[in-house]
Amino acid sequence: MSEAPMTPTVLFVCVHNAGRSQMAAGFLRSLAGDRVRVLSAGSEPAASLNPVAVAAMAEEGIDIAGESPALLATDDVRASDVVITMGCGDTCPIFPGKRYEDWELTDPAGLGIDEVRVIRDDIRMRVERLLVGLE
C-alpha cells in the first residue's frame, strides 16, 4: 500500500505582507484548495492589508479582507517546501533543501486600482505556473 502524497507548503514573503504576498497566497488558496498549504508573511509587516489589493482581488472573486499581515518566522521557512520572496532581500532565512524563487514585482503600496490590477494579473500567472510545478 502506498502512502498518501505529502501536501507541499508554499510560503510567500514580501516586506509588509500587505499586498503582493497576500494576493499570491489568495490566488494559490483559491486555485489549489487543500492540495497545497499556503503561508504568507513579511519581514516588516504593516498594520493592515492594502485596501486596493483587497479590492483588486475581490474583482477576481477572492476575498483576502480577513487576512492580517504576519511577521516572518524562521519556523515558517523551515516548514515550507517552496519559499517565494518578493522584494524582501536578504531578510529571508535560507535553509538547505528548500526551493527558493524571487519574484520581481512592483510594490502596490500607494498605487491606484488600474496599476494594482496589472500586478495582480502578473501574480496570478506566476501562481498558475508555480502550481503546475507542484503537481
Side-chain angles (χ1 to χ4, degrees), residues 8-112:
T9 299
V10 176
L11 170 62
F12 294 102
V13 183
C14 67
V15 176
H16 300 298
N17 191 223
R20 296 167 290 187
S21 56
Q22 292 284 356
M23 288 191 287
F27 274 127
L28 187 54
R29 284 186 188 108
S30 175
L31 294 168
D34 60 2
R35 297 180 319 228
V36 177
R37 182 173 173 237
V38 180
L39 305 173
S40 85
S43 53
E44 298 173 26
S48 61
L49 293 191
N50 177 333
V52 183
V54 172
M57 292 300 287
E59 292 177 350
E60 296 292 303
I62 299 172
D63 182 6
I64 62 169
E67 302 297 326
S68 297
L71 180 62
L72 176 63
T74 301
D75 286 345
D76 287 341
V77 179
R78 192 176 285 122
S80 298
D81 300 294
V82 180
V83 178
I84 308 293
T85 58
M86 305 170 187
C88 70
D90 298 333
T91 61
C92 190
I94 304 292
F95 290 100
K98 307 283 178 206
R99 176 174 151 200
Y100 289 89
E101 291 183 23
D102 185 53
W103 292 357
E104 291 190 25
L105 296 161
T106 302
D107 186 346
L111 301 180

